[in-house]
C-alpha cells in the first residue's frame, strides 16, 4: 500500500467511527425527546397491517406518487440511498485496496447491473429534484413557492451529498475499469465502462474516488447528528416509524374523525376529569403525544401541505409546514429543560425542579432551554408565543395538508388539540365563537333557532314527510338526517326538499327526526370545544340508538345532505358507541339512478343551462373519499349538455376549500383574501373557458350546505348572476321532472325530446288514470303523493323505475347502500 492509501484509509476509518458515535448519541437523544410526549397506546398494533402499510407507502411511494413527476425521481433517490449500502462498504476497502471486490457478488454481472442502475438512477433523480427546487424557488415565486420558509441551505447540502454518492459509485467503477480490474460485461455497467475509457489507469485515482464517496457519507452523518431538527435529512430514517405508527392501523389517513381527546393514554371522561391532573388538549409542547413529536421530527420541509393550504394560498399566516417546523424547533430547544425534570403548572410556576438544589439544577440547564420553557405555546409576538393565534384559528380543517403529506403527519389532529386547550383552559378564542357555543348549548344549533322549526322545510312539499318519535318503523329503510343548515338555512332548504322529493319518487321509505334532531357537534369539536361536542353527540347517540333499537348492523341507515353531518355521524359517533351506516345523498341518489328508480332526462337541444363545474366539499371528498358519485349524477342529468362537466384546476383530492370548515363558517375572515372569493374566481374562470364566450356563465354544482352558502356569496361578489350555484340534488330533480308525462290534454308533439328516454305513456291512459285518481279522492282516498308514486304524475308501467312503477314494484325494489 502507498502512503496515500494509508492516509486516506485512516481518515475514512476515523470519520466513520466519529459519525457512528455521534449518530448513535443523537438517535438516543431524539428517542428520549420523543418519549417526552403523552402516551398513546393506540399506535402499537396490530403489527401485520401496519407493517404492510409502511412497506406500501415507502417502497411503493404511494403518497409521493400523488405528484407523479416528483414521486418517480424521489423513488430513484430513495432506492439508491438504501440499495447502494453494499457499494459503500466496498468503497471503504477500495480506499486501502483499489482492486478489491465484494466476495462472491463483486463481479457478478447481475449485481453489477443492479448497482449501475441504482447509481445512474440516483444521479438522474437528484439532478431532476435539484432543477425542480430551483424552478420553484422562493426567489422567483415568493410565498407561492412550496419551499418558502424551508431551510434552503440544509436542502442544498443534502442534494449535494446525494449527488456525490450516486456519482461516486460510477466514477469508482470507471476508475477500476480503466485500471483493468473491473471484469464485468459492458451491458452490466455501460456508464461505468464509458467513464473508464476517459479516465487514466491509476490505483491512486481509485483510492481518491473511493475516499470522496466514503467521506461524503460520513460527513453527511456527522452534520445531521449535529442537527436533529434537519428534517430534510432525518426523514430518511424517521419516515419508516412515522408511517408505521400512523393513527389508523388499516392504513387510512388521519382524516375523517378527529382523534378523541386523550389524557394519560385514555379518552378523557369529563365527569371525572381533573384540570390539575389531566391533559386538556395541548397547552405545552410536551402535551402532544409521542407520535406528535415524531411527526414534528419527520417533517421533510417539502412544502406539499403548504402549497395546498387554502389559508396560505389566500395570504393568511397559516402554513402547515411552518407550524410543524415551529413546534419541532421549540420541542428540541425546550428538551434539555424537560429532560432535566422541569415542568410548570397552569399558572406558570415551576413544579418539576424544586427543593434546596433547584436553583443549581436550573442553572445547569442551557439558557436557551430555560427561555424556551418560558414561552407560551400559543401567543402573539408580545409574549413570544410559539404559534401565533392568527395561525391557529386560520385553519379550515379541510385536510389538504394531511392528504398530501408523504410521511403521514397528522396536522389536523395537532391543530384541534391546540384549539382544545385554548378554548377549554385558557378561554382564548375568536369572539364570534361565543355566539356559536351559546347557541349550540342552549338551542342545539349554530343559528340559535327553535327546535320546533326544524320541520318548516317540509311545508312546501306536496307529500307528507314521516316523522319518527320513538322507534323507526320496520318498513322505513332510511332515517333522513336534515342537519341544522337544511332545517334553518333558506338556501339549503331547497336541497333537502329536492332530496326528499327524489327519495319519494323513487319509492324509498324514509323518515326524519324533526324536533328530535340536534346539531351533531361538528363545529364545536373543530373549534376545540370538546365538552359541547360530547354533550350534543351523547344526546344524539341516545336518540339514534333508540330509533334504531333492535336493528342489526347494516340496517341502521342514515342519509344526509351535509358532509359534516356525514363525517360526524359515521366516523366520530363510533367513539361514543354510536354505530350507523351513513351515506351522502349523492351516493344514495346515484344508486337509485343506476337501479332505474330515478330516470334523469337530458334537456332538449337549445335549453341547456350552459357549462357546469363541480366543487368538491372537503368533508365529502378528502375526509370521506366520495368523488365519483356527485360527478356521475351531474353527467346523468345532462346539465352539461353533450359533454361532461368541466373540472376546475384544483379538484378531487386537491380541491380547494370553500373556507367554512373548522368552524370558520362562524368566524370573520379579516386577513388576506376571502377563501370563498378565491374559489369562486376559480370556478368562474373554469366556466368562462368552458363556455367560450369570454364571460362566466353556467352552473357551479355543490354537495354541501356550507359550500353552497360560501360559494353563493363568492359567486355574487366575483362572477355575478350569470353563474348559478345549485346542489346536485336540485339538478337531478330538474332532470327527472323532464321525464314526467305531459298533461292529459297535451299532444304527443308537446312531449319533451330526450337523450335518455323516459317511459312513454299514452295520453289516454294518463287521462284514465287521472279520472280514477280523482274518483278515489272523492271517495276519501289518500291525497296525491302520500303513496310514494302518484305524486310523480306518472302512470304505472313495468319498467322498474320510480318514474313508472307501481307502489308494489317500488316496494320490491327497495334500495340498500353500497
Amino acid at each position: 500500500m502507498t502512503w496515500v492509501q494509508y492516509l486516506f484509509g485512516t481518515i475514512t476509518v476515523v470519520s466513520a467511527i466519529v459519525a457512528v458515535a455521534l449518530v448513535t448519541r443523537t438517535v438516543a437523544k431524539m428517542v428520549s425527546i420523543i418519549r417526552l410526549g403523552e402516551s398513546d397506546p393506540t399506535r402499537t398494533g396490530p403489527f401485520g397491517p401496519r407493517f404492510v402499510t409502511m412497506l406500501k407507502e415507502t417502497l411503493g411511494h404511494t403518497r409521493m406518487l400523488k405528484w407523479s413527476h416528483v414521486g418517480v425521481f424521489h423513488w430513484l433517490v430513495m432506492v439508491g440511498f438504501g440499495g447502494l449500502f453494499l457499494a459503500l462498504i466496498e468503497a471503504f476497502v477500495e480506499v486501502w485496496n483499489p482492486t478489491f471486490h465484494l466476495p462472491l457478488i463483486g463481479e457478478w454481472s447481475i449485481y453489477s447491473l443492479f448497482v449501475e442502475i441504482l447509481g445512474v438512477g440516483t444521479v438522474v433523480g437528484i439532478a431532476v429534484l435539484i432543477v425542480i427546487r430551483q424552478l420553484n424557488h422562493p426567489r422567483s415565486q415568493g410565498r407561492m413557492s412550496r419551499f418558502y420558509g424551508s431551510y434552503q441551505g440544509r436542502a442544498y447540502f443534502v442534494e449535494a451529498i446525494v449527488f456525490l454518492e450516486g456519482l461516486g459509485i460510477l466514477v469508482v467503477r470507471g476508475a477500476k475499469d480503466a485500471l483493468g480490474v473491473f471484469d464485468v460485461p459492458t451491458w452490466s455497467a455501460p456508464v461505468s465502462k464509458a467513464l473508464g475509457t476517459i479516465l487514466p489507469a491509476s490505483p491512486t485515482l481509485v483510492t481518491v474516488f473511493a475516499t470522496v464517496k466514503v467521506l461524503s457519507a460520513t460527513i453527511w452523518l456527522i452534520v445531521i447528528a449535529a442537527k436533529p431538527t434537519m428534517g430534510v435529512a432525518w426523514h430518511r430514517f424517521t419516515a419508516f416509524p412515522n408511517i408505521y405508527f400512523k393513527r389508523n392501523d388499516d392504513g387510512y389517513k388521519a382524516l375523517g374523525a378527529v382523534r378523541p381527546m386523550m389524557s394519560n393514554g385514555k379518552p378523557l371522561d369529563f365527569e371525572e376529569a381533573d384540570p390539575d391532573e389531566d391533559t386538556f388538549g395541548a397547552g405545552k409542547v410536551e402535551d402532544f403525544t409521542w407520535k406528535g413529536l415524531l411527526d414534528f421530527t419527520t417533517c421533510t420541509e417539502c412544502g406539499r401541505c403548504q402549497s395546498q393550504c387554502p389559508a396560505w394560498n389566500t395570504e393568511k399566516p397559516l402554513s402547515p409546514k411552518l407550524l410543524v417546523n415551529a413546534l419541532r424547533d421549540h420541542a428540541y430547544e425546550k428538551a434539555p429543560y424537560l429532560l432535566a425534570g422541569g415542568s410548570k403548572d397552569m399558572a406558570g410556576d415551576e413544579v418539576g425542579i424544586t427543593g434546596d438544589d433547584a436553583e443549581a439544577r436550573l442553572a445547569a440547564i442551557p439558557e436557551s432551554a430555560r427561555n424556551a420553557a418560558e414561552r407560551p405555546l400559543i401567543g402573539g409576538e408580545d409574549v413570544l408565543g410559539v404559534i401565533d393565534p392568527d395561525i391557529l384559528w386560520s385553519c379550515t380543517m379541510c385536510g389538504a395538508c394531511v392528504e398530501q403529506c408523504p410521511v403521514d403527519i397528522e396536522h389536523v389532529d395537532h391543530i384541534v388539540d391546540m384549539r382544545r386547550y385554548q378554548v377549554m383552559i385558557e378561554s382564548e378564542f375568536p369572539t364570534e365563537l361565543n355566539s356559536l357555543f351559546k347557541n349550540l348549548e342552549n338551542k342545539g344549533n349554530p343559528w340559535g333557532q327553535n327546535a320546533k322549526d326544524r320541520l318548516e322545510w317540509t311545508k312546501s312539499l306536496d307529500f307528507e314527510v314521516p316523522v319518527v318519535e320513538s322507534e323507526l318503523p320496520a318498513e322505513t329503510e332510511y332515517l333522513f338526517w336534515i342537519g341544522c343548515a337544511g332545517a334553518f338555512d333558506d338556501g339549503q332548504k331547497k336541497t333537502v326538499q329536492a332530496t326528499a322529493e327524489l327519495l319519494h319518487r323513487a319509492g324509498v321509505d324514509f323518515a326524519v327526526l324533526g324536533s328530535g334532531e340536534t346539531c351533531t357537534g361538528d363545529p364545536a369539536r373543530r373549534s376545540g370545544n370538546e365538552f359541547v361536542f360530547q354533550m350534543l353527540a351523547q344526546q344524539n347517540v341516545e336518540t339514534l340508538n333508540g330509533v334504531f333499537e333492535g336493528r342489526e348492523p347494516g340496517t341502521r341507515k342514515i342519509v344526509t345532505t351535509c358532509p359534516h353531518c356525514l363525517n360526524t355521524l359515521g366516523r366520530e359517533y363510533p367513539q361514543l358507541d354510536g354505530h350507523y351506516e351513513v351515506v351522502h345523498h349523492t351516493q344514495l341518489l346515484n344508486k337509485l339512478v343506476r337501479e332505474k328508480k330515478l330516470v334523469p332526462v337530458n334537456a332538449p337541444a337549445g335549453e341547456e343551462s350552459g357549462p357546469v363545474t363541480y366543487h368538491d366539499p372537503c368533508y365529502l371528498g378528502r375526509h370521506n373519499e366520495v368523488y365519483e358519485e356527485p360527478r356521475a349524477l351531474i353527467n346523468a342529468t345532462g346539465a352539461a349538455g353533450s359533454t361532461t362537466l368541466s373540472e376546475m384546476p384544483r379538484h378531487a383530492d386537491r380541491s380547494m376549500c370553500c373556507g367554512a370548515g373548522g368552524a370558520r363558517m362562524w368566524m370573520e375572515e379579516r386577513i388576506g383574501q376571502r377563501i370563498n372569493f378565491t374559489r369562486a374566481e376559480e370556478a368562474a374562470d373554469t366556466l368562462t373557458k368552458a363556455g367560450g364566450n369570454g364571460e362566466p356563465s353556467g352552473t357551479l354544482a355543490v354537495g354541501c350546505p356550507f359550500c353552497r352558502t360560501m360559494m353563493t356569496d363568492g359567486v355574487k361578489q366575483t362572477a355575478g348572476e350569470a353563474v348559478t350555484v345549485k346542489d346536485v340534488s336540485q339538478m337531478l330533480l330538474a332532470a327527472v321532472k323532464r321525464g314526467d308525462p305531459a298533461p292529459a290534454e297535451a299532444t304527443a308533439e308537446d312531449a319533451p325530446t330526450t337523450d335518455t328516454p323516459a317511459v312513454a305513456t299514452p295520453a289516454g291512459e294518463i287521462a284514465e288514470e287521472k279520472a280514477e285518481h280523482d274518483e278515489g279522492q272523492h271517495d276519501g282516498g289518500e291525497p296525491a303523493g302520500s303513496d310514494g308514486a302518484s305524486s310523480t304524475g306518472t302512470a304505472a308501467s313495468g319498467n322498474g323505475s320510480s318514474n313508472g312503477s307501481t307502489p308494489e314494484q317500488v316496494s320490491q325494489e327497495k334500495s340498500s347502500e353500497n
Side-chain angles (χ1 to χ4, degrees):
M1 289 188 291
T2 66
W3 67 270
V4 173
Q5 293 164 350
Y6 273 116
L7 176 62
F8 285 6
T10 302
I11 291 173
T12 56
V13 169
V14 171
S15 70
I17 293 173
V18 171
V20 170
L22 290 178
V23 167
T24 301
R25 185 183 70 175
T26 299
V27 168
K29 179 181 178 182
M30 292 171 69
V31 171
S32 66
I33 292 173
I34 291 169
R35 293 182 65 183
L36 288 170
E38 287 282 310
S39 63
D40 187 352
T42 65
R43 308 280 181 165
T44 55
F47 172 78
R50 289 186 175 277
F51 189 74
V52 169
T53 296
M54 182 188 71
L55 292 180
K56 185 191 304 181
E57 292 192 18
T58 53
L59 301 184
H61 252 42
T62 52
R63 297 184 68 82
M64 280 296 301
L65 288 171
K66 283 179 175 289
W67 294 22
S68 56
H69 62 292
V70 176
V72 168
F73 294 107
H74 189 276
W75 184 86
L76 291 174
V77 172
M78 185 270 294
V79 172
F81 177 81
L84 294 176
F85 179 75
L86 288 179
L88 177 63
I89 299 299
E90 188 176 35
F92 265 104
V93 184
E94 288 169 336
V95 175
W96 300 88
N97 178 11
T99 65
F100 174 77
H101 293 285
L102 289 174
L104 301 178
I105 63 173
E107 293 186 299
W108 182 32
S109 57
I110 300 300
Y111 174 73
S112 175
L113 178 62
F114 171 74
V115 173
E116 189 81 357
I117 291 173
L118 293 187
V120 173
T122 301
V123 171
V124 172
I126 196 63
V128 172
L129 294 181
I130 290 172
V131 171
I132 288 174
R133 179 178 290 273
Q134 294 307 310
L135 291 176
N136 295 277
H137 200 280
R139 76 170 71 92
S140 59
Q141 295 189 7
R143 61 179 278 138
M144 287 300 100
S145 165
R146 64 186 176 96
F147 300 114
Y148 182 93
S150 297
Y151 291 94
Q152 300 297 336
R154 298 178 181 181
Y156 294 156
F157 170 74
V158 171
E159 290 169 346
I161 292 297
V162 172
F163 184 82
L164 282 176
E165 284 292 294
L167 184 62
I169 289 291
L170 301 176
V171 296
V172 168
R173 286 154 63 92
K176 291 175 73 173
D177 184 67
L179 192 61
V181 294
F182 189 49
D183 188 18
V184 297
T186 300
W187 61 264
S188 70
V191 176
S192 298
K193 290 282 187 179
L195 289 173
T197 62
I198 60 176
L199 292 174
S202 168
T204 299
L205 189 62
V206 176
T207 295
V208 171
F209 283 161
T211 300
V212 171
K213 173 163 179 54
V214 172
L215 287 180
S216 65
T218 56
I219 290 173
W220 181 74
L221 290 173
I222 291 170
V223 170
I224 70 171
K227 287 285 185 182
T229 58
M230 191 188 291
V232 69
W234 277 106
H235 81 273
R236 296 166 183 272
F237 307 107
T238 58
F240 294 94
N242 205 58
I243 294 171
Y244 177 87
F245 291 117
K246 67 190 300 182
R247 189 176 75 185
N248 300 305
D249 55 43
D250 60 0
Y252 192 76
K253 58 201 173 187
L255 291 178
V258 165
R259 179 176 169 271
M261 193 166 181
M262 307 283 284
S263 180
N264 300 315
K266 299 181 294 183
L268 188 66
D269 185 345
F270 283 103
E271 293 184 0
E272 301 179 0
D274 182 354
D276 294 325
E277 300 292 335
D278 288 302
T279 301
F280 284 70
K284 304 183 292 294
V285 74
E286 61 268 30
D287 289 340
F288 292 102
T289 66
W290 60 263
K291 175 55 169 63
L293 296 179
L294 180 59
D295 271 357
F296 308 154
T297 301
T298 305
C299 179
T300 72
E301 301 177 27
C302 67
R304 290 190 180 200
C305 58
Q306 179 174 289
S307 72
Q308 302 298 302
C309 178
W312 184 259
N313 277 282
T314 53
E315 301 181 352
K316 295 171 181 59
L318 169 64
S319 158
K321 175 188 71 178
L322 299 181
L323 180 143
V324 166
N325 290 173
L327 292 171
R328 175 197 64 196
D329 294 345
H330 175 63
Y332 279 80
E333 189 176 26
K334 187 178 180 181
Y337 167 80
L338 297 173
L339 291 172
S343 177
K344 295 181 183 295
D345 60 18
M346 287 190 292
D349 297 324
E350 179 63 45
V351 294
I353 300 177
T354 57
D356 296 337
D357 61 344
E359 188 172 338
R361 290 166 60 193
L362 285 170
I365 299 171
E367 183 180 3
S368 60
R370 284 183 277 128
N371 291 338
E374 298 294 329
R375 298 178 65 188
L377 189 66
I378 308 297
E381 292 183 2
D382 55 327
V383 293
L384 299 178
V386 178
I387 304 297
D388 191 276
D390 285 335
I391 293 176
L392 180 66
W393 294 104
S394 290
C395 182
T396 66
M397 309 283 173
C398 71
C401 48
V402 177
E403 179 70 45
Q404 295 299 329
C405 181
V407 292
D408 283 315
I409 293 173
E410 300 164 4
H411 312 75
V412 171
D413 283 347
H414 303 322
I415 290 173
V416 169
D417 273 340
M418 287 187 283
R419 286 187 175 185
R420 284 166 168 164
Y421 188 87
Q422 290 301 297
V423 171
M424 304 185 69
I425 299 299
E426 297 290 344
S427 294
E428 292 286 345
F429 48 84
T431 55
E432 304 94 328
L433 292 180
N434 277 313
S435 296
L436 172 67
F437 297 154
K438 180 179 179 181
N439 288 337
L440 289 175
E441 286 190 75
N442 297 334
K443 296 291 188 177
N445 67 84
W447 281 269
Q449 299 295 311
N450 294 321
K452 64 181 179 61
D453 296 329
R454 281 188 174 269
L455 287 172
E456 287 293 314
W457 66 273
T458 65
K459 292 185 177 179
S460 63
L461 298 176
D462 61 358
F463 59 90
E464 183 180 353
V465 175
V467 180
V468 58
E469 296 181 356
S470 54
E471 189 174 340
L472 203 65
E475 67 274 10
T476 303
E477 187 175 8
Y478 283 94
L479 179 68
F480 186 8
W481 185 273
I482 304 304
C484 301
F488 302 120
D489 182 84
D490 289 338
Q492 184 59 14
K493 285 178 183 179
K494 298 175 183 177
T495 298
V496 294
Q497 287 165 351
T499 302
E501 184 169 348
L502 287 165
L503 296 178
H504 182 66
R505 283 172 168 257
V508 176
D509 285 320
F510 70 94
V512 299
L513 287 174
S515 59
E517 186 177 297
T518 191
C519 180
T520 61
D522 166 82
R525 173 167 256 196
R526 303 283 162 167
S527 60
N529 199 331
E530 184 73 9
F531 177 80
V532 171
F533 164 74
Q534 291 204 19
M535 178 188 74
L536 295 169
Q538 288 169 356
Q539 179 180 337
N540 280 325
V541 167
E542 182 179 354
T543 298
L544 291 171
N545 285 348
V547 166
F548 290 121
E549 187 175 1
R551 292 209 174 194
E552 297 295 325
T555 64
R556 301 157 66 91
K557 300 179 182 180
I558 300 174
V559 60
T560 181
T561 62
C562 178
H564 294 261
C565 295
L566 168 84
N567 184 72
T568 308
L569 292 168
R571 291 191 175 273
E572 297 192 331
Y573 278 16
Q575 298 171 1
L576 301 170
D577 198 30
H579 303 277
Y580 320 108
E581 296 76 44
V582 190
V583 296
H584 192 246
H585 69 302
T586 58
Q587 294 175 290
L588 179 55
L589 294 177
N590 187 58
K591 181 179 185 297
L592 296 173
V593 169
R594 292 201 317 269
E595 293 176 348
K596 305 298 184 184
K597 294 179 179 179
L598 293 172
V599 180
V601 176
N602 287 357
E607 294 186 14
E608 298 92 345
S609 59
V612 178
T613 192
Y614 173 65
H615 166 77
D616 285 277
C618 300
Y619 279 76
L620 184 62
R622 276 187 292 269
H623 283 273
N624 286 277
E625 297 189 338
V626 178
Y627 298 113
E628 297 304 320
E629 288 89 339
R631 289 171 167 81
L633 286 178
I634 292 170
N635 289 328
T637 65
S642 59
T643 60
T644 58
L645 78 160
S646 301
E647 295 284 12
M648 286 185 264
R650 290 179 284 194
H651 64 277
D653 63 358
R654 295 198 197 181
S655 177
M656 184 177 179
C657 180
C658 72
R664 289 293 320 174
M665 178 83 171
W666 291 273
M667 289 184 259
E668 290 296 329
E669 194 169 349
R670 299 183 177 92
I671 304 174
Q673 185 175 6
R674 293 180 66 88
I675 294 174
N676 60 327
F677 286 10
T678 299
R679 184 57 167 170
E681 289 171 356
E682 188 171 2
D685 289 343
T686 300
L687 293 173
T688 299
K689 293 175 182 177
N693 58 7
E695 295 291 336
S697 63
T699 303
L700 171 56
V702 296
C704 170
F706 295 158
C707 293
R708 177 177 184 138
T709 298
M710 301 298 282
M711 289 295 95
T712 299
D713 180 47
V715 164
K716 285 180 180 178
Q717 299 295 327
T718 59
E721 297 181 357
V723 174
T724 59
V725 180
K726 291 183 179 180
D727 188 88
V728 175
S729 62
Q730 291 177 274
M731 299 169 67
L732 178 62
L733 179 60
V736 169
K737 283 184 174 180
R738 294 189 200 112
D740 288 351
E745 63 273 18
T747 63
E749 288 78 3
D750 292 328
T753 303
T754 67
D755 293 331
T756 308
V759 177
T761 307
E765 291 183 23
I766 297 173
E768 181 179 352
E769 179 185 301
K770 184 176 185 297
E772 293 175 355
H773 175 70
D774 290 343
E775 182 178 352
Q777 288 284 73
H778 290 302
D779 291 339
E782 297 266 18
S786 64
D787 62 0
S790 58
S791 67
T792 66
T794 307
S797 70
N799 72 338
S801 115
S802 64
N803 287 355
S805 299
T806 65
E808 291 78 12
Q809 290 170 325
V810 170
S811 177
Q812 292 170 2
E813 296 166 353
K814 199 170 289 184
S815 63
S816 61
E817 71 237 47
N818 295 323

